[in-house]
């Protein structure tokens, strides 16, 4: 690395080696103009010898597309935007589109700066993602290319957004607890201010009322997205004296905390109490015995679908409105069927 | 979004609105040529009215640099490459450089494809990162721009690599356990095949021998990077009959598993046994009581330094060889000083 930095090979280098003008070299490489076959061959051989790469930057000037997309995240590439990003990158790479990654850190000025910089680079479109499912205001800049919001929807219903199905997540959890023989189900979850919390609760209540059941315990236990809250909430539930044989937790962290307190108080999971988490976060659901049944929100698929909608819009077939992407139950040990007691 | 897709405004649109030729419009916008002030003003007003953005793609053709960098990760943007990516993006964005994110998924063909695609886009350089600290073979393609390896070093010592300091991590853990009054220290860690495992063990042994101590227990407990292994290893350690008052764990996951078993067997942390983890993974170290003292490998700083070295190399000041980035101890409750017994 101590040598001077090699500069990229240009068409002028190729022309010089082939003993022709740059214009002739360009015609030969682009298979245009009237050249003798011998001249054309000499240029191609020179290009190969010099490992010349045609400049895609220059080439794309001729077309309308640059085959680049801006991926804006407010989440510092965090726990929730990662699978979305991966899903999007997957779908875009399959379409041979490169991704500019921009972490806006929830700073509107930074976001605006990135959007304008990317527009000056002529990106073909944007995917905007975040850490929450609460709607966000649309991009502040007037954007002349398609935009798709993933995970965090736009508050403008005319925009195109792809999100997780939190209500279905709650319904799946409730239906599964009932299917494994539980009838007294409590709910420990995150802050009531999150849209996801309300939607999961609604789905859970729908599943219960379909079977003639309602939630038990001292109401829904709203709190924090943490193990500490899971422990505290389980203690509250135990001390309330409520009879319960199933708990749906709004996150795997909450479920881990609840599992620890239930075990310490002699309530066996799954025999006495079945537990369902949310997120399918591998290190949490696999880390403890019994392993944790959970709802996977399919965030990778959210990202993939968002990218597919963006590609369609770039190809002139835009869609608008909200698409929800189904979640799925991942069954593990914490909801195995109750053993028959002696 | 049902309207036809708006196309980007071009210089020809500006020229048409101003009633001049495209060449004149270009001269006016670039402040070149001899134009009447009135003409120049008319073009600028037209550009503003149409929200014309000068095409950076075209502009960069004139210079050697495109102000773009390729960030290749083999880690599917996982736990370890995220902080490295963030640190790199931080340093690069400060230099107003945009990042192409490419997830190679440890597939050499995919990696080669990305490198060639990015070279055809004339990126100014590459940062290559991964999930492990074991060296990797250099990029297979002959790359005419600077490359810096971050976290996962290149096996070629002439390349520029920035890595975490695993040996210092082990030394810090050992010194801290000794400083908090422990003298019988055991070590539970990951697979012996990982360079990081050997380096952390070496650092720990250095710290112990400086105080005339050596490791206790049935040898170093090599296993998996999981809570399950932490539980199993703690059981092995307890059953071995070895006397121990401190354990250094090669990861926070292992430490979480060990903490669970120690508590269940009546060994109080930190009063009977002090515990130190590695990684400073927030959800793990803060999730349990007592919270976990750990070694932070400063991966964000690894990424930031790698980006700084890349920027220097792009500016004509390349460096070569391996730079290790210091780790730091993050003290929490699991190593608090032993209480004086009655």
């Amino acid at each position: 690395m101590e040598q001077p930095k090699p500069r990229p090979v240009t068409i002028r280098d190729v022309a010089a080696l082939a003993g022709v003008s740059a214009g002739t070299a360009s015609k030969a490489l682009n298979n245009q103009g009237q050249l003798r076959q011998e001249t054309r061959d000499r240029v191609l051989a020179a290009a190969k010898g010099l490992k010349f790469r045609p400049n895609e930057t220059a080439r794309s000037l001729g077309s309308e597309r640059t085959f680049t997309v801006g991926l804006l995240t407010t989440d510092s590439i965090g726990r929730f935007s990662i699978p979305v990003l991966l899903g999007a990158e997957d779908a875009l790479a399959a379409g041979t589109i490169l991704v500019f990654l921009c972490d806006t850190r929830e700073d509107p000025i930074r976001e605006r700066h990135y959007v304008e910089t990317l527009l000056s680079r002529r990106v073909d479109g944007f995917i905007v993602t975040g850490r929450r499912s609460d709607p966000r205001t649309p991009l502040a800049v007037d954007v002349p290319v398609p935009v798709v919001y993933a995970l965090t929807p736009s508050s403008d219903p005319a925009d195109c957004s792809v999100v997780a199905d939190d209500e279905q997540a709650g319904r799946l959890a409730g239906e599964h607890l009932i299917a494994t023989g539980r009838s007294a189900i409590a709910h420990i979850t995150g802050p009531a201010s999150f849209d996801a919390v309300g939607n999961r609760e609604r789905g859970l209540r729908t599943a219960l009322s379909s079977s003639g059941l309602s939630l038990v315990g001292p109401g829904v236990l709203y709190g924090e997205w943490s193990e500490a809250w899971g422990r505290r909430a389980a203690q509250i539930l135990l001390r309330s004296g409520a009879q319960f044989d199933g708990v749906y937790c709004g996150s795997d962290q909450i479920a881990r905390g609840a599992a620890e307190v239930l075990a310490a108080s002699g309530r066996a999971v799954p025999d006495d109490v079945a537990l369902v988490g949310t997120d399918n976060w591998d290190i949490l659901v696999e880390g403890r015995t019994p392993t944790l049944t959970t709802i996977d929100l399919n965030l990778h698929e959210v990202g993939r679908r968002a990218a597919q909608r963006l590609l369609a819009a770039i190809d002139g077939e835009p869609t608008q409105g909200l698409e929800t992407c189904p979640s799925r139950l991942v069954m593990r040990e914490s909801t195995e069927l109750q053993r028959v007691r002696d």
Side-chain angles (χ1 to χ4, degrees), chain A:
Chain A
M1 296 273 286
E2 287 301 331
Q3 309 89 5
K5 189 186 85 175
R7 66 173 175 80
V9 176
T10 69
I11 194 150
R12 281 181 289 277
D13 301 321
V14 174
L17 183 62
V20 299
S21 72
T24 301
S26 172
K27 283 179 195 154
L29 291 171
N30 289 302
N31 211 19
Q32 294 171 331
Q34 298 198 337
L35 300 176
R36 282 188 299 156
Q37 188 59 40
E38 186 227 340
T39 307
R40 210 178 283 282
D41 290 347
R42 208 162 65 234
V43 171
L44 293 177
K48 196 172 173 192
L50 291 172
K51 295 185 180 166
F52 173 72
R53 290 186 179 83
N55 188 337
E56 293 289 346
T57 304
R59 185 175 278 181
S60 67
L61 282 175
S63 73
E64 284 207 10
R65 293 181 54 177
T66 56
F67 296 94
T68 55
V69 158
L71 225 159
L72 302 176
T73 169
T74 60
D75 186 21
S76 295
I77 324 180
R79 155 76 186 121
F80 299 107
S81 61
I82 294 165
V84 176
L85 292 173
L86 282 176
E89 204 253 8
D90 214 6
L92 293 169
T96 65
I97 288 178
L98 285 173
V99 170
F100 281 119
L101 179 70
C102 302
D103 174 13
T104 68
R105 293 164 210 199
E106 303 196 74
D107 174 354
I109 293 170
R110 205 175 159 103
E111 179 172 285
R112 191 185 182 98
H113 164 76
Y114 271 130
V115 171
E116 291 184 338
T117 303
L118 290 170
L119 284 175
S120 76
R121 301 268 183 166
R122 296 276 191 257
V123 291
D124 297 328
F126 289 90
I127 292 176
V128 181
T129 187
R131 86 176 71 212
R132 291 175 63 163
S133 57
D134 300 54
R136 54 157 287 160
T137 53
L139 292 181
V141 184
D142 181 28
V143 177
V145 293
V147 180
V148 177
Y149 297 82
L151 183 57
T152 301
S154 166
S155 56
D156 182 347
D159 286 337
C160 175
S161 303
V162 182
V163 298
D165 195 337
D166 287 303
E167 182 164 347
Q168 187 218 15
R171 210 174 60 239
L172 285 176
E175 287 168 354
H176 177 66
L177 285 167
I178 294 165
T180 57
R182 316 297 165 151
S183 56
I185 294 162
H187 186 31
I188 306 175
T189 187
S193 61
F194 278 60
D195 280 13
V197 166
N199 290 333
R200 290 172 197 172
E201 176 186 338
R202 191 173 321 114
L204 177 64
R205 287 186 187 275
T206 302
L208 295 181
S209 64
S210 297
S211 295
L213 301 172
S214 51
L215 279 172
V216 303
V220 172
L221 292 147
Y222 304 106
E224 302 301 319
W225 299 117
S226 69
E227 283 190 64
W229 167 242
R231 284 193 296 269
R232 178 65 54 89
Q235 284 160 350
I236 294 170
L237 193 55
L238 288 167
R239 284 185 200 169
S240 75
Q243 296 298 312
F244 63 96
D245 58 10
V247 183
Y248 172 47
C249 297
S251 80
D252 293 333
Q253 282 178 278
I254 290 172
R256 279 289 299 258
E260 190 183 326
V261 163
L262 290 172
S265 69
R267 304 288 285 262
V269 175
D271 282 0
D272 298 326
V273 180
L275 267 186
V276 178
T278 313
D279 291 334
N280 198 24
W281 196 348
D282 52 356
I283 62 146
L284 292 173
V285 294
E286 300 281 7
R288 195 172 197 287
T289 307
T291 56
L292 188 66
T293 295
T294 190
I295 308 295
D296 189 316
L297 294 166
N298 274 345
L299 300 184
H300 188 277
E301 180 68 11
V302 169
R304 215 177 56 77
R305 291 196 188 187
Q308 285 171 336
R309 281 178 173 255
L310 184 67
L311 291 172
I314 291 170
D315 285 339
E317 296 187 14
T319 43
Q320 58 181 16
L322 198 71
E323 175 181 355
T324 50
C325 195
S327 0
R328 66 195 165 88
L329 177 86
V330 181
M331 188 172 163
R332 294 195 182 82
E333 296 162 357
S334 68
T335 57
E336 277 178 8
L337 289 175
Q338 288 174 289
R339 286 177 213 145
V340 177
R341 303 293 177 115
D342 295 328

